[in-house]
Structures are given as structure tokens and as C-alpha cells.
């Protein structure tokens, strides 16, 4: 068993932690010598290896390191770990740096949750100093590890008097999630196989969640950010510059200041082929009579890639309030067919096609929910119209350029872009200019619009214009 007595800096941080707890009616934590040794060793290891991670020596988890030092996890137990680092700054001495790091931890939801966990009893605090290399350079730094625990086993309090023990019971608790907070410079933050919460805190970071359901925390509203999906990697850019541009690996949830965003509902879209996505854009444009919003298109495209059929999605589109406002008010089958021809193909129905589709609807061989999809298929069939097929293909490319390539979500611009299209090449050039101008505005304006684009999918949309 390893044991360590806390330094003055570590006792100062304990005082800060206990002030937070007791002011909220929670019990004060007691320093534990074994946990102190575990925390000290991990802080030293991170400095020695220039790593900032809950995964420690040999890929160990926080709980494994606590047990390896000899901490007794018996009966009912729980563990948690916070880590933090910053370059030395401010007044001479390190007490102000410890205070800065405490404030940073309390300002991070996941770290604050660990500090204020009601059932905790003991803590180990490891504060080590040394040189640490950031993206901007190498600086003398303060590295902190906080190892929290409750246990039904023996503890080794870092106070005068005999060892304390807590009555044992048999309800064991699992390892708690990891929480990582970075600094204002670029870092590689690596989580554990648990449900981690990772905050880059500025700089162009690499955030890797590993296993579990992992959350990346961002400080601004979602409208400040742009996502780019590429294979299994996601790039997120904060246009305000505050959070930098991060690379995300195995991150499932984005926690913005105003909302959360479930990435798992969008990433499967990368499994589609270009042909699949263009056909899906045709469907989206036909049902809503506008360029698709990126969030909606990629969500439903991911559903398509996950096994939903075009017919299933078409029926859900038809039931949406937006589609019903376009088509649901038709007083007769004839009115409905005429409206669909106008919105989907940009023309009045020809006599033969009008009669065919009215009869099909009236006989029940096709229902209104799937009619638009059926009409797209008829237009693109060998027996269909080459003019109609080309019209649909150009609409699909406009949709892909707006939503997939540029990742735009502004509904007014989506409608304006599609309304400017009249089937001619000249109108496509006008549409592309509308989209490009808006994309440039979004790229330079803070808080204007959340974007989510995909690379490697329909990249050549409208490249002939």
C-alpha cells in the first residue's frame, strides 16, 4: 500500500472543495493518504508523459489506479476523478494557480458534479509541478488530480488519530464517468471506457471519447458552431474563436450552452452513396418544395442508411405540418395532382399523366402519402420524360449543394434558392450565387446559423456551374 501526506497546496485545495460542499449542506471530505498517493502519481505521470487524460499508466482507469495504490473498495463504493492543468501565472507562488484551477473545475458542470456528489466521504489531491508542452509552447505548469471516493472498506485519513472505517454493505457501485477539462491551448484529451464529459476549453483540441456515451462541452450557443462530418471523424468549429476548432473521435453528444445535440442521429449518413443521397434530396425537395435544411436532411439520411426505406420516410414527410400546408388543403384528387406537378416538376400536368395519376389515386393503387415518391419514380423511369428527369436531377443537386456541401439550415434562404430555379442552367447559376453568398455570411458572422456538412458525399454537386 502506498500512502502520501498532503502538501500545503493540496490542503488549500481541500479547503476550497469543502467550502463548496458545506455551503450547500453537504459533508466535508477527509483527505485519504492512499488516495493522495494515487492522485500524486497520476499528476506526475501526466507531466512526465506530456499527457492530459483519465487514462493513465498502462491504460489504467482512475478506479484501477486507486486500487493499485491499495485503496480498499469493499461493500458499497463509488469513485470519481477530476483533472486540471494550467501554466503558472499571476502572483509569485502557486496558491493563486490552485485557486484558478478550482474555479475552472467549479465552472465545468461535470467537474462540479463530482466535487458536490453527496455520497462522497474521502478525497486524494495530487498537485505536481513541472514543464508541460502546449500547442503554443512549453511552460512551467501546475497539474492537479482529484480522486474522490466512498467505500465500505478501510480508509487511511490524512489527519491525526486512528484510521476510520465505514460499515460495510453489499451494494457495490460501478466506476463513475470520467470528466476532463482542457486549457486555452491545443491538447489531446482522451477519455475512458466510461461515459466521459470532455471540455476542450479553447485551442484546437482532439477530443477522444473511447467507450461509453461521451459528451463534448462547448461554451457558446449552438448557432456559433459548424460541424463537418467525414468518415468516423467530426470537426467542430466555433466561429467566435472561443472554443477553437476541435477534432472529435467517438463523441456521441455535444452539450452547447443553449441545447444538447445527439451526434449519433446524424453520423450514419456517411454510409450513403452519392446516388443514394441525390435520390434522397429529390424526395426531400419534392415533399417540402424547398432546398433541404442540413439538420433535417442528414437526420433522415442517417435513418435511410440505418435501414428505413424511402417509402417509410416519404410517409413521415407527408404527415409533417409543412407538407400538409402545401398539399393537405387540396379539395379534390385533381387539385392534389395539379399541386404536386407544379411543386415537384415545375409545370402543369400533361393530359395522359394527369389521367393516369388521378385514376391511380382514386382506385387506391397509390395513396397520397406515397404518391409524390411514385411520381418521382415514374418521371425517372425509362418510359418517363427526359425533361422531367433532368429537372429533378438539377433540383436534387441544388438541395445537396445547400445542405450536404455547405451544411446550411436557414429556411428562408432554402425557399428563396429553390424559388429562383426555373429549370434553366442560367437559373441554377443564380441559385448557386444565392447559396454561396449566404454560406460566406454564415462563415464570418458569429451566432448566425448552426451548420452541419458532410465531406466525401456529393462533393461535386453543382461543380458544372
Amino acid at each position: 500500500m502506498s500512502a502520501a501526506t498532503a502538501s500545503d497546496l493540496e490542503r488549500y485545495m481541500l479547503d476550497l472543495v469543502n467550502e463548496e460542499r458545506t455551503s450547500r449542506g453537504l459533508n466535508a471530505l477527509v483527505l485519504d493518504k492512499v488516495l493522495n498517493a494515487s492522485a500524486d502519481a497520476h499528476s506526475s505521470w501526466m507531466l512526465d508523459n506530456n499527457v492530459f487524460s483519465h487514462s493513465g499508466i498502462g491504460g489504467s482507469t482512475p478506479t484501477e489506479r486507486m486500487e493499485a495504490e491499495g485503496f480498499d473498495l469493499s461493500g458499497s463504493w463509488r469513485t470519481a476523478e477530476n483533472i486540471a492543468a494550467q501554466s503558472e501565472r499571476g502572483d509569485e507562488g502557486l496558491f493563486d494557480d490552485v485557486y484558478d484551477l478550482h474555479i475552472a473545475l467549479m465552472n465545468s458542470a461535470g467537474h462540479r458534479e463530482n466535487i458536490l456528489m453527496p455520497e462522497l466521504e474521502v478525497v486524494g489531491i495530487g498537485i505536481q509541478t513541472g514543464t508541460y508542452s502546449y500547442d503554443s509552447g512549453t511552460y512551467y505548469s501546475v497539474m492537479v488530480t482529484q480522486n474522490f471516493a466512498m467505500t465500505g472498506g478501510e480508509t487511511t485519513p490524512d489527519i491525526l488519530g486512528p484510521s476510520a472505517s465505514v460499515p460495510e454493505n453489499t451494494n457495490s457501485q460501478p466506476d463513475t464517468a470520467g470528466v476532463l477539462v482542457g486549457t486555452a491551448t491545443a491538447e489531446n484529451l482522451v477519455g475512458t471506457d466510461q461515459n466521459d464529459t470532455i471540455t476542450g476549453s479553447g485551442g484546437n483540441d482532439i477530443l477522444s471519447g473511447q467507450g461509453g456515451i461521451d459528451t463534448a462541452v462547448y461554451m457558446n450557443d449552438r448557432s456559433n458552431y459548424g460541424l463537418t462530418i467525414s468518415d468516423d471523424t467530426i470537426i467542430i468549429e466555433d466561429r467566435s474563436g472561443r472554443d477553437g476548432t476541435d477534432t472529435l473521435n467517438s463523441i456521441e453528444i455535444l452539450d452547447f450552452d443553449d441545447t444538447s445535440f445527439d451526434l449519433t442521429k446524424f453520423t450514419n449518413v456517411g454510409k450513403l452513396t452519392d446516388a443514394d443521397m441525390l435520390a434522397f434530396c429529390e424526395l426531400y425537395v419534392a415533399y417540402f418544395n424547398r432546398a433541404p435544411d442540413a439538420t433535417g436532411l442528414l437526420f433522415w439520411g442517417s435513418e435511410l442508411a440505418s435501414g428505413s426505406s424511402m417509402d417509410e420516410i416519404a410517409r413521415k414527410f407527408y404527415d409533417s405540418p409543412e407538407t400538409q400546408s402545401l398539399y393537405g388543403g387540396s379539395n379534390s384528387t385533381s387539385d392534389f395532382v395539379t399541386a404536386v406537378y407544379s411543386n415537384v416538376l415545375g409545370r402543369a400536368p400533361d393530359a395522359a399523366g394527369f389521367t393516369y395519376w388521378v385514376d391511380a389515386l382514386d382506385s387506391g393503387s397509390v395513396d397520397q402519402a406515397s404518391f409524390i415518391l411514385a411520381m418521382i419514380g415514374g418521371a425517372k423511369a425509362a418510359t418517363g420524360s427526359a425533361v422531367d428527369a433532368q429537372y429533378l436531377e438539377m433540383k436534387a443537386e441544388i438541395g445537396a449543394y445547400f445542405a450536404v456541401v455547405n451544411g446550411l439550415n436557414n429556411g428562408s434562404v432554402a425557399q428563396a434558392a429553390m424559388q429562383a430555379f426555373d429549370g434553366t442552367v442560367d437559373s441554377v447559376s443564380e441559385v448557386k450565387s444565392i447559396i454561396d453568398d449566404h454560406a460566406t455570411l454564415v462563415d464570418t458572422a458569429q451566432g448566425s446559423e448552426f451548420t452541419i456538412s458532410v465531406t466525401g458525399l456529393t462533393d461535386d454537386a453543382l461543380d458544372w456551374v
Side-chain angles (χ1 to χ4, degrees):
M1 176 185 293
S2 298
T5 301
S7 68
D8 289 342
L9 287 174
E10 292 161 352
R11 293 183 186 278
Y12 172 59
M13 178 162 267
L14 173 70
D15 289 341
L16 296 174
V17 166
N18 281 336
E19 284 176 11
E20 302 286 358
R21 290 180 63 87
T22 58
S23 69
R24 294 167 172 83
L26 301 172
N27 62 294
L29 300 181
V30 176
L31 283 170
D32 182 271
K33 292 180 180 180
V34 177
L35 293 181
N36 287 343
S38 174
D40 276 331
H42 188 56
S43 291
S44 295
W45 181 85
M46 287 192 289
L47 284 170
D48 292 344
N49 292 275
N50 210 77
V51 173
F52 189 77
S53 173
H54 286 294
S55 294
I57 185 169
S60 59
T61 68
T63 300
E64 289 171 343
R65 292 192 296 275
M66 295 178 207
E67 288 189 295
E69 292 293 344
F71 188 73
D72 183 6
L73 291 176
S74 300
S76 178
W77 61 268
R78 183 175 289 277
T79 66
E81 181 177 83
N82 286 344
I83 58 175
Q86 76 171 30
S87 58
E88 183 187 15
R89 61 195 73 168
D91 297 334
E92 184 177 355
L94 300 176
F95 284 91
D96 57 336
D97 296 289
V98 171
Y99 180 79
D100 288 345
L101 290 167
H102 170 74
I103 295 301
L105 290 168
M106 287 300 296
N107 285 336
S108 169
H111 296 88
R112 184 171 61 250
E113 181 179 352
N114 283 344
I115 290 171
L116 301 178
M117 194 180 298
E119 60 265 41
L120 294 177
E121 301 161 340
V122 290
V123 63
I125 300 176
I127 300 178
Q128 299 294 320
T129 58
T131 56
Y132 191 85
S133 295
Y134 307 89
D135 186 54
S136 58
T138 300
Y139 305 98
Y140 188 72
S141 298
V142 182
M143 185 72 72
V144 174
T145 301
Q146 297 173 332
N147 283 161
F148 302 98
M150 63 159 286
T151 181
E154 296 292 324
T155 62
T156 311
D158 186 8
I159 55 175
L160 294 176
S163 297
S165 64
V166 179
E168 183 175 345
N169 65 50
T170 58
N171 296 319
S172 63
Q173 295 288 340
D175 197 3
T176 58
V179 180
L180 292 85
V181 59
T183 68
T185 58
E187 290 147 327
N188 185 358
L189 305 180
V190 181
T192 69
D193 59 356
Q194 304 296 314
N195 300 336
D196 300 311
T197 300
I198 306 176
T199 305
S201 302
N204 299 334
D205 303 308
I206 301 174
L207 311 184
S208 300
Q210 306 295 349
I213 304 300
D214 304 303
T215 300
V217 178
Y218 289 94
M219 300 301 155
N220 283 325
D221 290 350
R222 188 174 72 174
S223 58
N224 285 278
Y225 296 86
L227 288 177
T228 303
I229 299 174
S230 176
D231 296 327
D232 294 327
T233 298
I234 294 174
I235 305 296
I236 180 168
E237 176 189 5
D238 179 3
R239 298 188 188 94
S240 75
R242 180 180 179 184
D243 283 326
T245 300
D246 294 345
T247 300
L248 309 181
N249 300 307
S250 298
I251 298 292
E252 286 75 31
I253 306 293
L254 299 178
D255 187 10
F256 298 108
D257 188 52
D258 60 340
T259 187
S260 292
F261 189 79
D262 187 350
L263 284 172
T264 63
K265 295 181 178 179
F266 299 87
T267 50
N268 275 352
V269 72
K271 298 178 182 178
L272 297 178
T273 65
D274 282 4
D276 290 335
M277 178 51 77
L278 288 172
F280 192 61
C281 284
E282 287 178 343
L283 180 73
Y284 211 100
V285 169
Y287 274 80
F288 300 118
N289 197 31
R290 60 169 170 81
D293 58 293
T295 303
L297 181 74
L298 300 184
F299 171 83
W300 287 109
S302 192
E303 289 287 300
L304 182 66
S306 298
S308 294
S309 69
M310 289 281 274
D311 184 67
E312 289 171 333
I313 295 173
R315 291 180 178 278
K316 292 178 181 178
F317 282 3
Y318 182 77
D319 290 336
S320 72
E322 187 174 0
T323 301
Q324 286 299 306
S325 69
L326 284 172
Y327 302 111
S330 301
N331 295 320
S332 66
T333 303
S334 298
D335 291 342
F336 178 67
V337 171
T338 301
V340 172
Y341 263 88
S342 176
N343 289 332
V344 176
L345 299 179
R347 66 175 176 85
D350 58 282
F354 179 78
T355 300
Y356 174 83
W357 289 117
V358 168
D359 289 345
L361 285 163
D362 286 341
S363 68
S365 62
V366 176
D367 61 13
Q368 287 192 357
S370 60
F371 168 60
I372 297 174
L373 177 61
M375 198 175 79
I376 292 172
K380 297 176 65 178
T383 56
S385 164
V387 173
D388 287 344
Q390 185 180 40
Y391 185 87
L392 287 169
E393 287 172 6
M394 285 194 285
K395 270 192 158 184
E397 282 204 47
I398 291 170
Y401 188 71
F402 184 88
V404 182
V405 176
N406 286 287
L408 300 173
N409 281 294
N410 187 288
S412 297
V413 178
Q415 289 182 337
M418 200 56 69
Q419 288 169 1
F421 173 66
D422 63 9
T424 65
V425 173
D426 287 343
S427 70
V428 176
S429 296
E430 180 183 352
V431 169
K432 188 176 182 183
S433 294
I434 292 171
I435 296 172
D436 287 344
D437 289 345
H438 183 66
T440 300
L441 175 65
V442 169
D443 193 47
T444 56
Q446 296 181 26
S448 60
E449 181 179 334
F450 173 69
T451 61
I452 176 169
S453 59
V454 182
T455 61
L457 189 62
T458 69
D459 288 340
D460 59 353
L462 299 190
D463 65 354
W464 47 272
V465 178

